[in-house]
Amino acid sequence: MKEITLEMAEKALEAAERWARDIAGLPCSTAIVDKAGALIAVHRMDGAAMATTEIAIEKAWSAVVFKIPTLMMSRWLDPRSVGEQLGDHALGMVGRGKNRLCFIPGGIPITGDDGEIIGGIGNSGVPSGVGDISDTSVSQAGISALYD
């Protein structure tokens, strides 16, 4: 894979929706962006809250911009990760990135054959703390479909 096409994005969206519906049993939204963070496709399942669409887009965008899953970014805000010096955390980044940065788990960068980031996927709508079921696991199901 060298880039994310619309056909690939639709395949990932279908897989994510199937996982969310059949495994999680929860309606949610999933978004796919390219390597520049531009939206390729987004899908909001019937019954998903309206806000989940924008949140999914921002999760995908944030994962691409920082080149790491938003699950890792969420740890930057954990007060237990504060260093020795005051301000040694990521709280100052909240509200930055033209208010697009999203530190909520569920965004994952998508890598190509050469290991370079070619896009991102974000999911929103699965409440945290539901065992192994999470926005991150729905996004992972979408990514997995790209490698079938």
Side-chain angles (χ1 to χ4, degrees), residues 32-63:
I32 310 289
V33 299
D34 66 15
K35 65 183 175 185
L39 183 64
I40 296 174
V42 64
H43 177 72
R44 182 169 65 93
M45 294 172 62
D46 292 340
M50 289 180 3
T52 61
T53 305
E54 286 300 319
I55 295 168
I57 294 168
E58 304 313 342
K59 287 180 180 185
W61 182 86
S62 297

Side-chain angles (χ1 to χ4, degrees), residues 110-140:
I110 301 169
T111 55
D113 298 331
D114 58 2
E116 292 294 316
I117 292 174
I118 59 172
I121 184 170
N123 188 79
S124 179
V126 178
S128 60
V130 188
D132 293 335
I133 299 170
S134 67
D135 284 333
T136 301
S137 59
V138 175
S139 290
Q140 187 61 54

Side-chain angles (χ1 to χ4, degrees), residues 34-120:
D34 66 15
K35 65 183 175 185
L39 183 64
I40 296 174
V42 64
H43 177 72
R44 182 169 65 93
M45 294 172 62
D46 292 340
M50 289 180 3
T52 61
T53 305
E54 286 300 319
I55 295 168
I57 294 168
E58 304 313 342
K59 287 180 180 185
W61 182 86
S62 297
V64 167
V65 170
F66 276 93
K67 301 181 180 185
I68 60 172
T70 55
L71 174 64
M72 302 291 289
M73 293 171 61
S74 71
R75 295 178 180 159
W76 296 345
L77 301 181
D78 187 337
R80 295 170 291 182
S81 68
V82 174
E84 293 180 17
Q85 297 182 1
L86 184 63
D88 206 11
H89 51 71
L91 291 177
M93 295 176 65
V94 174
R96 298 291 184 240
K98 299 181 183 179
N99 293 321
R100 293 194 71 184
L101 286 180
C102 185
F103 295 92
I104 306 168
I108 305 173
I110 301 169
T111 55
D113 298 331
D114 58 2
E116 292 294 316
I117 292 174
I118 59 172

